[in-house]
Amino acid sequence: MFFAAAFRQAHDGYHHSLGAGRRLTTAILLLLSVLLMTSLHSIRATHMAHHRDPLGDHDVEVRLAKASWQQALLGGITYRLAIYRQGLRLSSRRHRMLAWLEFGLIALVIMGALMMSVFAASTVLGQVVLYHLVVMMLANASVGIIAVWGVHHDCDETIARTERNPLVNLLTFNLLYHVEHHLFPAIPSNHLPTLAKRLDAAAPHLTNAPVLPSRATVIKRMKHHWNAIKDKYQNSDDSECPIRKRFA
């Protein structure tokens, strides 16, 4: 929950829609980079490029969306490294220096956590720090399947998907109102539900691609896979052998 909330705040920080000045936004991104164990200023550069050319050939951020869900799930770590590399290349000199500062601070935190694991692993503070470190690394590795593949796979005209389940939107801090965000990226995340209602009324064809499949879609897919398994089993019967047919 902390990762989801902080990641959402960082996302608004990319677009300067936190309601804070530039210096304060920079400070917030630096702090969240250390807490989330990821360089947000390098990610910001690729994210802004993603908005300039969504789903384009040079959109590094959305490459996982063009793969299968299995590849998106397993490719989380290499995806993050590719984002860092591209982000440093696209960043201005100032933002590149901020990104390297974030990498340095993260390295210090990791070294501190390793020292705690040796000298203070039995203390409550040491256990909390190690737990936080592990969870943040796992969460960063899962961003590709949730925040990239989940909201962009199989999208052409609509650019992105969106979600209308209120519980899911509550737990993800409105992250999955994604087509709304792409159409109006300067809108703060807390106003996206209002924007979603207006889009549903004015342009429903843009919001008809959900992030999570409906119950009917899930049942249909399960039946399809079950029928495929039955057909495969039935076709493997000896009675279907072409040589037997010739002597029948």
Side-chain angles (χ1 to χ4, degrees), residues 111-127 130:
M111 287 190 292
L114 292 176
M115 291 179 64
M116 280 190 172
S117 67
V118 175
F119 300 106
S122 59
T123 65
V124 175
L125 178 61
Q127 292 173 354
L130 288 175

Side-chain angles (χ1 to χ4, degrees), residues 43-54 58-61 86 90:
I43 297 174
R44 179 186 181 277
T46 59
H47 186 70
M48 301 310 292
H50 164 62
H51 274 272
R52 287 191 294 269
D53 183 27
H58 301 290
D59 184 4
V60 176
E61 184 172 309
Q86 182 76 346
L90 295 176

Side-chain angles (χ1 to χ4, degrees), residues 69-119:
W69 70 267
Q70 297 95 330
Q71 292 172 324
L73 180 63
L74 297 175
I77 297 177
T78 56
Y79 163 78
R80 181 62 86 192
L81 295 176
I83 289 292
Y84 290 154
R85 184 169 57 251
Q86 182 76 346
L88 289 172
R89 189 181 69 82
L90 295 176
S91 295
S92 64
R93 181 180 178 183
R94 176 177 177 272
H95 283 175
R96 194 178 299 117
M97 291 175 62
L98 289 170
W100 281 117
L101 175 60
E102 290 165 350
F103 285 128
L105 293 174
I106 292 169
L108 288 176
V109 171
I110 293 175
M111 287 190 292
L114 292 176
M115 291 179 64
M116 280 190 172
S117 67
V118 175
F119 300 106

